[in-house]
Amino acid sequence: MSKPLSDHERKKQISVRGLAGVENVTELKTNFNRHLHFTLVKDRIVATKRDYYFALANTVRDHLVGRWIRTQQHYYNKDPKRVYYISLEFYMGRTLQNTMVNLALENACDEATYQLGLDMEELQEMEEDAGLGNGGLGRLAACFLDSMASLGLAAYGYGIRYEFGIFNQKIVNGWQVEEADDWLRFGNPWEKARPEYMRPVKFYGRTEHHPDGVKWLDAQVVLALPYDTPIPGYRNNIVNTMRLWSAKAPCEFNLKDFNVGGYIQAVLDRNLAENISRVLYPNDNFFEGKELRLKQEYFVVSATLQDIIRRFKVSKFGSREIVRTDFSKLPDKVAIQLNDTHPAMAIPELMRVLVDEEQLPWDKAWDICVRTCAYTNHTVLPEALERWPTDLFAYLLPRHLEIIYEINRRHLENVAARFPGDCDRLRRMSLVEEGGQKRINMAHLCIVGSHAVNGVAQIHSDILTATIFKDFYEMEPHKFQNKTNGITPRRWLVMCNPGLAEVIAERIGEDFIRDLDQLKGLLKFINDESFIRDIAKIKQENKLKFAAHLEEHYKVKINPNSMFDIQVKRIHEYKRQLLNCLHMITYYNRIKKNPNKQWTPRTVMIGGKAAPGYHTAKMIIRLITAIGEVINNDPVVGDRLKVIFLENYRVTLAEKAIPAADLSQQISTAGTEASGTGNMKFMLNGALTIGTMDGANVEMAEEAGDGNLFIFGMRVDDVDALDRKGYHAAEYYNRLPELKQAMDQISGGFFSPKQPDLFKEIVNMLMHHDRFKVFADYEDYIKCQETVNDLYKNPKEWTKKVIYNIAGSGKFSSDRTIAQYAREIWGMEPTLEKIPAPDDIPQ
């Protein structure tokens, strides 16, 4: 079998990596050496690999800076409408290679480093992931930034510069152990501190009402220090900005008492203020109502709105003079998109600024606020919805609680006028939940305070209007929209799978990278023997490369001819990694029972982090590792079935695993996964999907053709019907012998002989209180997996289905998603035009 191709000469032929012109390469080498010279401290003669990485990063960054300045000048001259995407998470991963792809520098940099005796891939491995997100929501924000820049939109991502991102996951004796992610330890070459734009953010204190307005007094001040990261568009010379705020204590913080002991303590207490941006909360789809989290949410919102309003008031480049004072024009110049309810405080904060500081009348301010803000919902799981106790609000943000009460009073007046006498509807639609502890429902605040509300896949948007937001939909149907999620084809195809990008470009040209719908053009090659061969060959190369990576890092040997069956996502009951476990056990039992049969060999890989406080999710990881210990050491099975837990799943590991996958598992209970985006990445990279009719899977089946995905299980209506009838796990357990056998093995200690009752909580949950109905889909799932095995034995037919999937994945570009947000929510027009590069002479 041919060895993996990371070979320099082969790479040079890949046209999507850009041209390596002689002048270009010479200039890069000169700049690299200059940066290396300045990077090295005088007394250090020998450069380390990290020194080389920083020299390369700074060399590439030089190519961004001129374009970055030029882009901002371009925006100030044209004064376009600007969109502000506010998110508590931006899961960016690494920046170096993505920047080279978008600037068409990859081949030139490769050649320059090669001539300097260095291996560019090795240098890329030195970069830390920017892991400022938990999963889908944070990674979506990162894809959106790439698309907004590539579509020429004047866009800004605003978030928090967490000192510690998502924890690093270690597996120790089969258990997850968390380790702090000190990603800034060696410095970050991609960010630029902007202390000149530091902003004060207030907390605590009290309010006073005067005839001339309301004053917020005795508040504690924390400073927000911005760090800017450049966001390059794809080969259009546009470079937008992601601005992340870091918390700083003001100089006068706590220095009221001036005796020596008090002074030392006061300086040490500065940490308390600066803790706001210390660490990302590691929960995915779960609300933890902690004071520090609410502080983070208000911190990003307050600093960002000050920045938005400053930029609205001055419109000329480099000028700080105020030229705009008429706020009625704000919605014509500013769009604010709230990524879930985490930045919901933008609504009362904008009202506070307009009413208390800019002295606008309430009605005018409210009209401006609603026309400016829009809200994206990401989940229907009740435990994920943010509901903040009013007493915490009263203490931390007293003025905002008053504003929310006033918003609610007027909102309920409107509801009562529209639906007279319907008291239950008033209770359901209130922003304030009574009964027990009073709470603010942040989703309700977002709906009332926005002009557009969207779900992230058609089925999800339909569920919103039919269930949790039904009352609001009946009152204001015009607000509700769908915007199916997407992924950027730059990172998730060109960068992570250049071999596939190249065989596509050979058939249909390179324009598909900007317009992914052009992948439909591959349908005419569906019976082309050479194309089928090329697609299969690239997949095999990617599998060999990933197998080598696993061997090097996990010391596991895997069969590269086996089916690579992959489920990578956060560990959560609703994502049903347990259903996958039941299949692995069932397949194992079948091989043991009939060891001489021709079984389709599989390597099952599961990866993902469990929230540190989510006990069940941690037990699921322990079960996966325990199953692996038994199966991987059973000589009867050999290399026909292997189970691997992929440790520390993150953006950078996804970039290696996804191009190597044959089968993608997307098996959530219908109606629980809002969209999913990993599903789209696998589809684009030539894996087939086994999945339920949930989230974007539904639209993937529509685009690729129903028969080209392995669809199984209950639909949303079936789940609802089963809820009404009552779900009884024991009925399935007693009726299905293979399910019973698998469960008995888990509960009887077959996978944990030293601790036979290790998994008793999981067994008890599955048997008695499984909200996600794993057993109800087991039988159909196992049958569906049999059809997967059968098809895999016919490589040509398998590869044809792969081509249908790749050809059908155009819809799932984040360029399409962002073009729809721009036109249908923000009132902006995307453009594919290039602006002049800094070295172009204007005509």
Side-chain angles (χ1 to χ4, degrees), residues 710-746:
F710 301 101
I711 298 292
F712 72 93
M714 297 179 288
R715 311 307 199 244
V716 170
D717 292 346
D718 303 320
V719 176
D720 292 341
L722 187 53
D723 274 326
R724 286 192 298 274
K725 169 177 164 266
Y727 168 67
H728 303 293
E731 291 174 10
Y732 302 91
Y733 172 84
N734 291 322
R735 182 166 63 77
L736 303 167
E738 287 185 303
L739 172 59
K740 182 178 192 302
Q741 183 189 5
M743 288 303 296
D744 291 350
Q745 285 168 313
I746 296 169

Side-chain angles (χ1 to χ4, degrees), residues 449-578:
S450 298
H451 70 279
V453 176
N454 72 280
V456 290
Q458 191 62 57
I459 188 176
H460 168 59
S461 298
D462 292 343
I463 288 168
L464 290 180
T465 55
T467 59
I468 61 168
F469 301 153
K470 180 171 190 275
D471 294 321
F472 293 90
Y473 178 65
E474 287 172 358
M475 182 141 166
E476 302 184 286
H478 58 273
K479 279 191 180 182
F480 290 83
Q481 303 189 14
N482 173 246
K483 295 285 168 281
T484 299
N485 282 162
I487 56 171
T488 170
R490 272 72 64 180
R491 182 176 295 266
W492 296 111
L493 179 59
V494 179
M495 184 184 124
C496 72
N497 202 344
L500 179 58
E502 187 65 11
V503 308
I504 294 170
E506 283 167 5
R507 301 320 196 275
I508 62 170
E510 269 181 53
D511 283 354
F512 73 91
I513 299 166
R514 275 196 189 76
D515 175 16
L516 207 62
D517 274 326
Q518 292 186 22
L519 289 176
K520 285 193 173 75
L522 295 175
L523 289 172
K524 60 174 171 291
F525 301 99
I526 204 83
N527 293 307
D528 180 317
E529 296 291 340
S530 80
F531 186 58
I532 293 170
R533 232 184 354 263
D534 284 352
I535 293 287
K537 178 165 168 280
I538 294 294
K539 179 61 73 181
Q540 199 52 38
E541 285 171 7
N542 291 337
K543 288 173 71 173
L544 284 164
K545 193 169 179 183
F546 190 52
H549 172 84
L550 291 178
E551 242 179 272
E552 187 187 336
H553 291 88
Y554 301 94
K555 309 290 175 255
V556 285
K557 248 192 119 39
I558 58 180
N559 172 9
N561 297 311
S562 64
M563 182 198 306
F564 283 17
D565 164 353
I566 308 189
Q567 185 181 25
V568 282
K569 50 188 72 248
R570 285 295 291 255
I571 310 294
H572 202 299
E573 287 160 86
Y574 88 83
K575 293 176 185 283
R576 298 202 297 190
Q577 283 90 358
L578 286 171

Side-chain angles (χ1 to χ4, degrees), residues 282-309:
N283 303 314
D284 188 73
N285 275 298
F286 183 78
F287 169 59
E288 187 175 353
K290 294 281 195 288
E291 180 182 345
L292 180 61
R293 172 66 173 192
L294 185 55
K295 269 188 172 166
Q296 289 180 338
E297 293 184 352
Y298 179 65
F299 174 76
V300 65
V301 151
S302 168
T304 300
L305 275 167
Q306 291 177 66
D307 227 20
I308 290 173
I309 283 160

Side-chain angles (χ1 to χ4, degrees), residues 158 218 230 266 311 348 594 607 737:
Y158 273 93
D218 304 330
R311 206 177 276 119
N594 195 351

